[in-house]
Amino acid sequence: MKKFEKMTKRFVAGSVMAGLVFIGVGQVGMAQDFPKQVKIADSKVLLERYDEAEKIYKKIVASNQAPIVTAYVHYKLGMLYRNRDEDQRATAEYEKGLAVLAEAGVQDHQIGKYLAQAMADPQW
């Protein structure tokens, strides 16, 4: 029961943050199917079908979206890995997201703040 509560808490916190970030992502031109793909992957996470969700998130990253979109999906992958108690993989995804933003010269975007917070606080 504790594991389920921990996962639920992480997912709820991540979903709230993701909703706020998604507003910022919406300000950037992105592929029309991106929101749909993320929703599908998120629903797979809720069903604990992590492998399926991971494949969808990785396809989005590989599709060369705008830097903010790519950083956002790295955040989602990090949250997925946290749900699976794979903290090192989660941290690696957060670092990739921050690197994408830095390379693109994107500063002070909300997703960067969430990525940094997720790296700093293991309970995030």
Side-chain angles (χ1 to χ4, degrees):
M1 186 68 170
K2 282 188 175 190
K3 183 176 181 182
F4 178 75
E5 289 173 3
K6 180 179 174 184
M7 288 173 35
T8 302
K9 182 180 175 183
R10 283 183 179 172
F11 184 79
V12 169
S15 295
V16 169
M17 298 296 253
L20 294 173
V21 171
F22 203 71
I23 292 169
V25 170
Q27 297 170 357
V28 175
M30 59 183 159
Q32 214 167 350
D33 63 339
F34 167 72
K36 181 181 175 184
Q37 290 177 358
V38 171
K39 287 179 185 178
I40 291 168
D42 289 348
S43 67
K44 304 251 184 225
V45 170
L46 278 174
L47 296 171
E48 297 182 19
R49 294 165 67 179
Y50 298 126
D51 292 339
E52 294 173 34
E54 181 179 18
K55 286 179 185 176
I56 295 168
Y57 289 139
K58 285 185 174 184
K59 281 184 182 179
I60 296 168
V61 168
S63 69
N64 295 318
Q65 298 290 328
I68 293 170
V69 172
T70 301
Y72 173 77
V73 176
H74 280 298
Y75 171 79
K76 298 297 285 188
L77 273 166
M79 294 303 289
L80 179 146
Y81 294 140
R82 280 244 172 109
N83 283 340
R84 294 196 308 200
D85 291 323
E86 298 178 37
D87 292 338
Q88 287 182 334
R89 288 183 80 186
T91 299
E93 289 300 327
Y94 302 142
E95 289 172 350
K96 288 176 189 176
L98 289 170
V100 166
L101 294 175
E103 184 178 306
V106 176
Q107 298 175 348
D108 296 328
H109 192 279
Q110 199 65 32
I111 188 60
K113 294 174 187 174
Y114 292 137
L115 286 161
Q117 179 65 36
M119 284 181 58
D121 184 359
Q123 297 301 315
W124 183 251

